[in-house]
Amino acid sequence: MTNTQIAVAQLGSTGPTVGRIGLGAMGMSGSYGPADSTESTATVHAALDSGARLVDTGDFYAMGHNEMLVGRAIADRPREETILSVKFGGMIGPDGTWQGFDGRPAALRNFLSYSLRRLGVDHVDIYRPARLDPAVPIEDTVGAIAELVDAGYVRYIGLSEVGAETLRRAAAVHPIADLQIEYSLFSRGIETAILPVCRELGIGITAYGVLSRGLLSDTAPGRSTEFAQSDYRAHSPRFQGDNLAANLELVDALAALAQRKGVSTAQLAIAWVLSRGDDIVPVIGSRTRARWSEALGALDVTLDDADIAAVEAAVPAEGVAGSRYAQAQMKALDSER
């Protein structure tokens, strides 16, 4: 039975109503180390039971494994209980390496066909290109998704990791429900140009990486952890050498504030993102029910102006060491140009 204790938010001026925080499913398919499918399914159920509604996945997460896991988890639930957000187009080689992005209209129609089958549904709620394809005008990609909206296979169009100019061009073709982009105390680049344009155009923000891949937590990985090569963090600049040492000092400063406030470090980090605006919905990559429960606790954390100033002094944007992706991936981000 659905428990609606989570406050709700609308994604932008044209998007669906979702819970104040959402669930990101990528980590349930091994991106951050082993995950238990039974516990993952239970976590999806816990998120839906709390009223989260938004569940985010991608067709290239573990080459379809994540979509199938999510599909099984929601199979016995009323379809309207879940707002499925699906990213498409990431090209992964058989060795697991990134091969670029395909945003061609013919390709995305094909990708959606496979996603619908793996998810076991007849429509996707929000469909979004995972990245901007430099070889395909964004107008062509969005226009093709708009045709799928007209056909009933997609309800809303979203974008991911694009910049302000691309947002304007896309919104001129079809209303955009939300932009999914990394936003946290450690990643605040959207504040300069992207967030203002989203607000001007009525586009919501679904923020991922809110806990900076686990760094912003009481159990920050890396202090005595060696990551498997399949773990994203093994290749993340922020988890390497001196960068990691510098970032852990910031985490310790945030943890001290959290302790004084009687909350966990992760809850304080999520609460800060929540405080940035009702149009920003954090998407939390919880892999267990315990972590999801902790994330829910952030909704009860109230931050006044003094709290926010203290948090931002403890974790100044210019103090974060290392880029959020490796150099090659950063170059592929339209949002970073």
Side-chain angles (χ1 to χ4, degrees):
M1 181 175 182
T2 301
N3 185 336
T4 56
Q5 80 264 21
I6 292 182
V8 298
Q10 183 180 3
L11 291 182
S13 58
T14 63
T17 298
V18 298
R20 194 64 184 84
I21 63 174
L23 178 68
M26 183 178 76
M28 296 176 179
S29 293
S31 298
Y32 300 109
D36 178 81
S37 60
T38 299
E39 181 61 24
S40 294
T41 298
T43 303
V44 173
H45 290 167
L48 296 177
D49 288 342
S50 64
R53 299 196 76 201
L54 182 68
V55 178
D56 182 77
T57 182
D59 63 7
F60 52 95
Y61 290 172
M63 281 66 79
H65 173 275
N66 200 244
E67 286 184 319
M68 290 188 286
L69 185 154
V70 169
R72 290 191 295 270
I74 67 172
D76 60 349
R77 300 295 181 110
R79 177 64 183 86
E80 64 274 12
E81 187 175 303
T82 307
I83 300 295
L84 281 173
S85 164
V86 178
K87 291 185 289 296
F88 69 83
M91 310 293 285
I92 308 295
D95 60 352
T97 57
W98 180 256
Q99 301 293 308
F101 179 81
D102 193 341
R104 294 172 300 144
L108 72 86
R109 286 190 284 268
N110 176 72
F111 294 146
L112 179 64
S113 298
Y114 281 88
S115 288
L116 294 175
R117 178 62 62 91
R118 286 190 290 254
L119 288 162
V121 298
D122 63 2
H123 72 276
V124 164
D125 296 288
I126 309 172
Y127 202 47
R128 71 182 80 245
R131 297 288 186 269
L132 178 68
D133 185 340
V136 180
I138 190 63
E139 292 86 352
D140 292 356
T141 300
V142 171
I145 306 174
E147 292 175 358
L148 295 171
V149 172
D150 292 339
Y153 295 114
V154 173
R155 295 288 187 265
Y156 303 94
I157 300 178
L159 294 172
S160 178
E161 288 291 354
V162 299
E165 179 184 352
T166 301
L167 284 168
R168 293 189 185 281
R169 290 169 54 192
V173 176
H174 189 279
I176 304 300
D178 71 307
L179 171 66
Q180 188 173 111
I181 194 163
E182 186 165 355
Y183 186 45
S184 73
L185 279 165
F186 270 26
S187 299
R188 294 161 61 180
I190 73 168
E191 294 174 345
T192 302
I194 293 173
L195 183 55
V197 168
C198 281
R199 287 175 168 162
E200 174 192 336
L201 298 175
I203 298 172
I205 295 286
T206 42
Y208 76 89
V210 172
L211 299 179
S212 197
R213 282 80 181 179
L215 262 178
L216 293 167
S217 70
D218 290 323
T219 56
R223 295 182 193 275
S224 59
T225 307
E226 289 190 9
F227 301 112
Q229 285 302 297
S230 59
D231 190 316
Y232 165 87
R233 293 166 295 191
H235 314 283
S236 169
R238 291 181 177 170
F239 285 85
Q240 310 303 315
D242 291 342
N243 286 348
L244 177 61
N247 291 332
L248 288 175
E249 289 185 8
L250 300 181
V251 174
D252 289 341
L254 185 66
L257 290 178
Q259 186 175 22
R260 289 200 292 271
K261 200 161 179 66
V263 300
S264 73
T265 304
Q267 287 170 336
L268 186 55
I270 296 169
W272 179 85
V273 173
L274 287 165
S275 76
R276 299 300 81 205
D278 293 339
D279 55 346
I280 300 174
V281 175
V283 178
I284 309 301
S286 303
R287 292 186 288 172
T288 67
R289 285 167 287 181
R291 290 300 182 216
W292 178 253
S293 179
E294 180 184 13
L296 288 181
L299 294 169
D300 297 323
V301 179
T302 300
L303 301 180
D304 59 24
D305 290 345
D307 291 326
I308 291 170
V311 166
E312 294 178 356
V315 187
E318 65 276 11
V320 178
S323 57
R324 57 194 183 98
Y325 287 101
Q327 186 176 9
Q329 290 174 293
M330 288 293 288
K331 289 182 178 178
L333 293 177
D334 183 63
S335 56
E336 293 289 337
R337 293 173 188 164

